[in-house]
Amino acid sequence: AISGDFSYSSMVGMLLYLAGHSRPDITYAVNCAARYMFCPKHSHELALKRIGRYLKATRNHGLVLNPSKELKIDDYPDADFAGMYGYEVSSDPSCVKSRTGYTITVADFPVVWQSKLQTETATSTMEAEIIALAHSAKELFPIMDMVDLLGNAVGLPVGDTTMNVSIHEDNLGALILAETLPPQFTPRSKHYAITTIWFREQIVARGIKLLKIDATEQLGDIFTKGLARAAFEYLRKRLMGW
């Protein structure tokens, strides 16, 4: 049990607000802590205090506003397939859930990011990556429409030459399926391919580019799992500017 003078839910609520507005670097850790809002143990209290010590050590940092001059939108979806399997109670179905993590940048500045467990149970790495891609697409398409609307309102030339939209994917199987024109599908995706048709149609209609990216350059990776210090600091530098 947690200490009597420690409000776990209140602390998690404050951290969720911070993670969702100016500190994407703690999003994964806070989301993991939020899963135990109603039944926290002492180990979860220690985890929150560790996040607090990290924030105290980096209290003078946040999101550095340094957008590029090119008006472009980039989406970095990633997934951690059954990431907690073998680390938690094996009888808990949530242990085999994969985690979706993604960030969407406008002019190389992050505007949306998320880390959450997938509601359905993926049976392969490719399926987990496709689910993550689909979730990020639900945020990507409205952002594209908003940038187009605001660009026209303030006189910015928004078009195919200035608003380049790219989805950066590090899983080759997911990349192939996303580029396959509906209603076609790959042999191993036939049991879930129908749920991907809506965003594959939009990718073609909107002229979105699908690019293969190296796993070490995948910004979404920081939202899917706990990384080694060097990898974490490298992605944090690219994402937040420090």
Side-chain angles (χ1 to χ4, degrees):
I2 64 173
S3 305
D5 59 346
F6 188 85
S7 178
Y8 187 88
S9 59
S10 176
M11 181 67 72
V12 169
M14 290 186 284
L15 290 175
L16 283 171
Y17 180 86
L18 188 62
H21 289 78
S22 61
R23 294 301 297 263
D25 52 329
I26 65 171
T27 301
Y28 168 73
V30 174
N31 185 270
C32 288
R35 292 177 56 199
Y36 305 97
M37 187 85 78
F38 300 104
C39 55
K41 298 180 181 179
H42 181 63
S43 58
H44 303 130
E45 176 185 347
L46 295 179
L48 279 192
K49 290 180 177 179
R50 183 175 181 179
I51 297 173
R53 288 195 296 271
Y54 169 75
L55 289 174
K56 183 179 180 180
T58 59
R59 59 187 177 275
N60 295 322
H61 297 282
L63 276 175
V64 179
L65 295 170
N66 187 26
S68 64
K69 295 182 179 180
E70 182 183 3
L71 184 59
K72 62 176 182 175
I73 302 175
D74 294 284
D75 181 14
Y76 296 87
D78 196 24
D80 182 29
F81 173 62
M84 298 307 297
Y85 186 71
Y87 293 92
E88 294 183 337
V89 182
S90 58
S91 60
D92 183 359
S94 64
C95 292
V96 297
K97 297 287 187 183
S98 301
R99 178 171 290 273
T100 288
Y102 64 85
T103 183
I104 299 174
T105 65
V106 178
D108 290 329
F109 182 79
V111 294
V112 173
W113 56 86
Q114 190 172 59
S115 174
K116 63 180 297 185
L117 286 181
Q118 297 177 358
T119 55
E120 55 267 70
T121 302
T123 57
S124 67
T125 302
M126 174 182 168
E127 184 178 355
E129 294 278 355
I130 280 292
I131 293 172
L133 202 161
H135 285 174
S136 68
K138 292 178 182 178
E139 296 286 346
L140 174 64
F141 300 151
I143 288 176
M144 291 176 61
D145 296 335
M146 183 179 65
V147 170
D148 183 58
L149 180 66
L150 294 177
N152 291 326
V154 299
L156 288 176
V158 180
D160 294 337
T161 57
T162 56
M163 189 173 73
N164 300 315
V165 182
S166 304
I167 295 177
H168 302 262
E169 179 58 60
D170 60 0
N171 182 275
L172 188 59
L175 198 64
I176 292 174
L177 177 60
E179 290 178 325
T180 303
L181 294 176
Q184 302 177 59
F185 50 83
T186 58
R188 294 189 179 184
S189 66
K190 59 184 177 182
H191 63 290
Y192 61 86
I194 192 170
T195 63
T196 70
I197 288 178
W198 70 271
F199 79 83
R200 288 193 286 150
E201 289 176 337
Q202 286 294 311
I203 286 174
V204 175
R206 293 172 178 265
I208 297 173
K209 293 181 292 185
L210 288 159
L211 305 175
K212 181 74 170 68
I213 188 174
D214 191 80
T216 58
E217 301 294 325
Q218 175 58 275
L219 295 183
D221 201 31
I222 200 172
F223 301 105
T224 62
K225 63 180 77 72
L227 301 173
R229 180 168 182 170
F232 175 82
E233 291 181 346
Y234 173 73
L235 292 179
R236 184 184 66 186
K237 173 71 175 178
R238 289 195 56 204
L239 188 67
M240 303 178 64
W242 56 275

